Amino acid sequence: MIQCKVDMNRENIISTFASNRFYGDIDACIREFLINAVDACNTRQALEWSWGTEFLELQERQALNSMRDLYHPKIQISYDSTSQRLVFEDNGIGMNADDIEKYVSKVGCSYYNSEEFALQQLKYEPVSEFGIGMLSGFMIARAILIESKKDKGVNTAWNVSEKYSLEPVTAKWMEGAETIEYITSRKEESGTKVTLLLRPQFATQIDLHGLAETVSRYMLYQQYPIEISCDNKTITLSGQNWIFDNPFADILGIVTIPVLDELIEGSIWIYNSKHKWMMGESSLYQQGFLVADGKQDLGIKPEWLRHMSYHLNLKKKFLTLRFSRDGVVNDGKLMLLREKIGQIIVKHFEVNPLALNQYLSSGRTPVITEYENEMNLLGRAVSVELFLKGREIELPIDTVIHGFEGKTIRIAFFSKGLFQYYRLNHFLDFKEFQKEYKLVVFERNRDVFCQMLAPYMRSQHYVISGCPGIIYEGMVADFHIIKSVVPYCNSYSLHPARIGYDEIFCLLTDNQSGRLELIINEDHRLAKQIAPVRYHSKVHSIVAVILENIKQRIINTQHSWNKIVDFGGQFVDDWETRKIATVQSIGCLEYDFADSVNEFIDSRLTTRERMELGLMDLEFRREDFINWWYMPGEQDNYERRYHGR
């Protein structure tokens, strides 16, 4: 066996991690040094209140601490455009020479993940976790100077047996160097000062407003003042926790759900279609620092909601962050957050589930989730318009399912307008229809209804009635056993997969919204010929023109064409949804339409091309289209003209 050593190219790794390919921009670097300063101050503050007094009662501990000077955390960020120096200074826990050796110079090693930190048993969970924040400095700086002094509090923690060195240290790194050099210094106060000599391309990007905006964006609130100065101009940020602010408090129709538990604080907003334009960007914080904003879709919005935004803060480490801290890893923890968000929304609406109706998805995209309690709420919340036992009624889906428990029934799906047309204009046929179908479902929430019926659906089919204009969708549903919909999250169908009439080339349904849609029958003899070569440019164009002509004739029934027209390959979208699509298609075609189509195909394809594409038998007949699509009264003229009768 031949073995070779795995050798990491240290220079390449450092340059990659410290480049804008990893950290993105200078704002990310400011965030990293800000996090380091916040952790340093919070750690010192936790030590101040520890001081080896864990064994004392609360009152005794407070008395002991009151004998010392109170610690006031302080962070300063300053920039001098003349010298191009960006400085981060804090009065936190500080560092010594060992820290420089063990953590600053070692990529991926963090003091806050070390045994030394754990032994202190502090009631503080640091934000830092990867030990790569210093690399961001390599991206923007030509040189880095670190001046630091360890605070004496580290030697008073309960489990510390070996005393830490409190000797101050100064360390420097120069561009191109592979080492960090350090010496003993004379710094008197505890804390750390990091000076970055910026590269020219980054030096011009910093101003006072930009620094303050970056801190405010990444930091949910400033738990203690942060002083920011630029060229002798200074501002101090000391923001309150705005996570509970509700900008939509007085707007009727927007649901605000306050969130406050042991893990999450903030608000969730749910919008109906009327208010969707008011949606603000969502933001997610963890331990008070931004981890995701509106640019990222984390997938924590339940699938069955139409519009939702949120401002949330995870009060402790919960989600797995990317190394660059510019997003969240899509893992089990993110799924747990998604589940928790769903539970919060379910709890809010469980008393009045029907109030959720106006905020629900149309169902054209998946609404079934893997969470049983959410599906139970959806079944009670979503109401559908029905024709049941001779009258129109609105019922929750759950009521419908349980109402037919133990039965197998036929369901018809109609647009409400077409159904009324059927009842009024084809009374006798409608009576026979009622005997066959126990339930008629109208278009409102019909797609959600189809998804929720996935466990019970045995078959779906299109029905082309002998009554002109009547095409609807039928379903056979078996409700003998009430089942959970959760296992069917990816195995439902909104419409029949096949047309089911081998002799019909295409049909039009009445379920459109905004555009006229023709469905080609994959089982038709001509469709089968076209399928292998449908992406050939000429074949694709021919099919587009045929469908386009049918659409134009449906829309413009008052106009008659003598032959098929190439409208330029543009599909017709100017359809008025108030019209009944299938009724509008009655008499839309001339009796010689099929002949005109064949002439058009002959003008586009040569005999050789037909042979090469396998389309020698591509010839349309009048029987390939629905019979009541043809104009009434033209049959005799057609027979005399083309058959000499």
Side-chain angles (χ1 to χ4, degrees):
M1 180 185 296
I2 301 175
Q3 296 179 333
C4 62
K5 181 182 178 182
V6 177
D7 186 16
M8 300 290 186
N9 187 320
R10 182 175 177 273
E11 182 179 346
N12 191 39
I13 290 174
I14 294 291
S15 63
T16 299
F17 273 80
S19 70
N20 56 10
R21 287 178 293 173
F22 185 77
Y23 277 109
D25 53 33
I26 193 170
D27 288 354
C29 304
I30 294 170
R31 175 200 62 204
E32 291 301 315
F33 282 98
L34 178 62
I35 289 174
N36 288 343
V38 168
D39 275 340
C41 288
N42 286 339
T43 298
R44 179 175 173 182
Q45 192 167 52
L47 280 167
E48 290 281 329
W49 285 96
S50 172
W51 257 59
T53 60
E54 287 82 355
F55 60 92
L56 298 176
E57 294 295 330
L58 180 60
Q59 289 182 346
E60 293 174 312
R61 183 187 303 190
Q62 290 175 339
L64 181 59
N65 280 293
S66 66
M67 295 168 62
R68 308 196 315 275
D69 292 334
L70 287 176
Y71 168 60
H72 297 284
K74 182 174 62 175
I75 296 176
Q76 294 174 302
I77 304 174
S78 61
Y79 179 64
D80 186 321
S81 60
T82 303
S83 62
Q84 298 184 342
R85 284 178 169 83
L86 178 63
V87 179
F88 296 85
E89 186 170 7
D90 65 72
N91 64 344
I93 187 62
M95 295 183 289
N96 58 22
D98 283 343
D99 294 326
I100 298 292
E101 289 273 2
K102 292 180 181 177
Y103 308 116
V104 176
S105 65
K106 299 291 190 297
V107 176
C109 293
S110 171
Y111 165 68
Y112 299 107
N113 287 331
S114 68
E115 184 179 353
E116 296 174 26
F117 180 80
L119 283 173
Q120 297 178 59
Q121 297 185 4
L122 302 181
K123 292 183 179 179
Y124 170 65
E125 187 176 30
V127 180
S128 303
E129 56 181 318
F130 300 124
I132 60 175
M134 185 60 70
L135 283 173
S136 65
F138 299 159
M139 176 190 119
I140 65 172
R142 291 181 290 159
I144 302 175
L145 181 70
I146 303 171
E147 303 167 81
S148 192
K149 182 180 187 299
K150 198 96 169 178
D151 183 70
K152 61 184 179 181
V154 296
N155 291 327
T156 61
W158 179 241
N159 283 329
V160 173
S161 54
E162 297 182 10
K163 300 297 182 183
Y164 290 95
S165 170
L166 303 181
E167 201 168 48
V169 63
T170 296
K172 69 175 182 178
W173 169 83
M174 303 295 290
E175 186 176 20
E178 294 186 359
T179 59
I180 294 177
E181 300 175 355
Y182 65 90
I183 59 173
T184 301
S185 68
R186 297 180 180 180
K187 185 173 173 60
E188 296 181 358
E189 293 185 0
S190 301
T192 301
K193 180 180 181 182
V194 180
T195 302
L196 306 170
L197 179 59
L198 299 185
R199 301 177 192 270
Q201 65 266 38
F202 296 108
T204 58
Q205 297 180 24
I206 296 182
D207 56 32
L208 184 64
H209 175 73
L211 280 172
E213 194 175 67
T214 299
V215 173
S216 298
R217 175 174 176 248
Y218 282 114
M219 211 172 179
L220 178 59
Y221 65 97
Q222 292 75 49
Q223 58 201 96
Y224 36 80
I226 297 179
E227 184 180 285
I228 301 174
S229 61
C230 182
D231 294 337
N232 299 320
K233 295 180 181 179
T234 302
I235 59 175
T236 301
L237 299 181
S238 183
Q240 299 298 313
N241 187 349
W242 58 268
I243 201 72
F244 295 109
D245 291 351
N246 181 14
F248 308 114
D250 301 322
I251 301 177
L252 187 65
I254 299 179
V255 173
T256 300
I257 305 178
V259 183
L260 182 60
D261 57 27
E262 72 284 351
L263 174 64
I264 311 177
E265 59 181 358
S267 297
I268 295 170
W269 295 286
I270 301 174
Y271 311 79
N272 57 28
S273 295
K274 179 181 177 182
H275 295 102
K276 67 178 181 180
W277 63 273
M278 299 181 68
M279 284 181 61
E281 284 195 352
S282 296
S283 56
L284 180 65
Y285 295 79
Q286 183 162 276
Q287 295 176 282
F289 279 87
L290 184 70
V291 296
D293 55 22
K295 300 173 185 176
Q296 301 162 316
D297 181 12
L298 297 180
I300 63 175
K301 178 181 78 66
E303 297 82 344
W304 36 272
L305 279 178
R306 186 179 280 118
H307 307 294
M308 184 188 98
S309 67
Y310 52 85
H311 289 160
L312 298 173
N313 177 43
L314 304 175
K315 294 185 283 187
K316 55 187 177 183
K317 278 182 183 173
F318 182 75
L319 296 176
T320 306
L321 306 185
R322 300 183 188 278
F323 284 119
S324 56
R325 297 188 66 91
D326 62 351
V328 177
V329 177
N330 191 352
D331 60 5
K333 291 182 178 179
L334 185 60
M335 294 303 297
L336 284 174
L337 179 62
R338 159 64 186 86
E339 182 179 8
K340 192 168 182 63
I341 295 297
Q343 290 172 348
I344 291 168
I345 296 171
V346 167
K347 184 177 180 181
H348 181 84
F349 284 100
E350 63 184 358
V351 177
N352 183 15
L354 290 176
L356 184 59
N357 220 318
Q358 63 177 308
Y359 306 103
L360 295 173
S361 166
S362 66
R364 293 192 185 97
T365 54
V367 300
I368 303 175
T369 76
E370 60 184 273
Y371 309 110
E372 195 75 42
N373 61 338
E374 295 182 25
M375 291 296 94
N376 290 336
L377 173 68
L378 202 62
R380 291 181 290 122
V382 180
S383 58
V384 287
E385 292 181 307
L386 313 166
F387 183 80
L388 177 64
K389 295 183 178 180
R391 65 192 183 101
E392 294 182 12
I393 190 172
E394 187 172 329
L395 292 173
I397 293 176
D398 191 62
T399 302
V400 176
I401 291 172
H402 284 86
F404 287 104
E405 188 173 356
K407 299 178 181 178
T408 298
I409 65 168
R410 291 183 179 274
I411 303 172
F413 295 89
F414 270 89
S415 70
K416 206 167 186 179
L418 179 61
F419 183 76
Q420 298 293 354
Y421 170 85
Y422 191 21
R423 292 177 68 185
L424 295 173
N425 294 279
H426 302 283
F427 179 71
L428 294 177
D429 192 81
F430 181 73
K431 288 182 68 175
E432 295 301 315
F433 166 86
Q434 281 187 285
K435 294 177 183 178
E436 185 175 0
Y437 291 93
K438 299 297 182 186
L439 186 67
V440 176
V441 179
F442 299 134
E443 62 265 39
R444 182 168 174 264
N445 291 331
R446 59 93 60 202
D447 289 346
V448 179
F449 181 80
C450 282
Q451 291 194 43
M452 297 296 285
L453 253 64
Y456 312 104
M457 189 191 74
R458 287 173 55 181
S459 64
Q460 274 181 303
H461 53 280
Y462 287 104
V463 179
I464 303 177
S465 169
C467 300
I470 307 302
I471 299 179
Y472 57 91
E473 295 173 24
M475 175 189 291
V476 177
D478 184 352
F479 296 105
H480 278 92
I481 301 174
I482 301 300
K483 304 172 185 176
S484 168
V485 71
V486 169
Y488 294 84
C489 56
N490 295 312
S491 58
Y492 64 87
S493 56
L494 301 180
H495 303 282
R498 301 277 181 175
I499 286 180
Y501 295 85
D502 293 351
E503 69 276 16
I504 300 298
F505 177 71
C506 62
L507 63 74
L508 173 73
T509 72
D510 66 314
N511 293 310
Q512 294 79 19
S513 59
R515 47 186 277 162
L516 201 60
E517 185 177 11
L518 287 172
I519 304 172
I520 293 180
N521 183 6
E522 296 178 12
D523 296 321
H524 187 264
R525 58 182 178 82
L526 297 181
K528 288 179 179 178
Q529 285 187 48
I530 293 170
V533 291
R534 63 188 173 198
Y535 296 116
H536 184 277
S537 59
K538 285 191 174 183
V539 176
H540 181 78
S541 174
I542 287 169
V543 174
V545 170
I546 293 171
L547 298 181
E548 188 177 50
N549 270 260
I550 297 173
K551 290 183 178 185
Q552 287 283 6
R553 284 158 168 79
I554 292 171
I555 292 174
N556 301 290
T557 53
Q558 76 282 0
H559 181 79
S560 177
W561 286 272
N562 293 323
K563 62 179 181 178
I564 193 167
V565 179
D566 185 353
F567 294 99
Q570 297 296 319
F571 281 108
V572 177
D573 289 324
D574 55 346
W575 171 253
E576 296 180 30
T577 54
R578 61 183 176 82
K579 295 179 179 179
I580 302 172
T582 55
V583 173
Q584 191 76 6
S585 68
I586 298 173
C588 66
L589 303 182
E590 307 83 12
Y591 265 82
D592 59 349
F593 178 75
D595 296 319
S596 179
V597 169
N598 293 330
E599 290 173 7
F600 172 73
I601 294 173
D602 287 338
S603 71
R604 289 298 182 92
L605 293 177
T606 64
T607 303
R608 181 173 180 177
E609 286 174 329
R610 279 180 176 265
M611 292 179 62
E612 290 175 348
L613 295 171
L615 300 177
M616 289 301 295
D617 296 328
L618 185 64
E619 183 176 354
F620 282 85
R621 300 191 294 259
R622 189 166 62 85
E623 292 76 16
D624 294 324
F625 303 98
I626 299 170
N627 61 0
W628 41 261
W629 275 12
Y630 290 95
M631 291 184 177
E634 286 195 359
Q635 185 169 8
D636 293 339
N637 292 333
Y638 175 83
E639 297 290 348
R640 283 195 299 271
R641 191 188 316 168
Y642 292 98
H643 298 286
R645 296 179 185 174

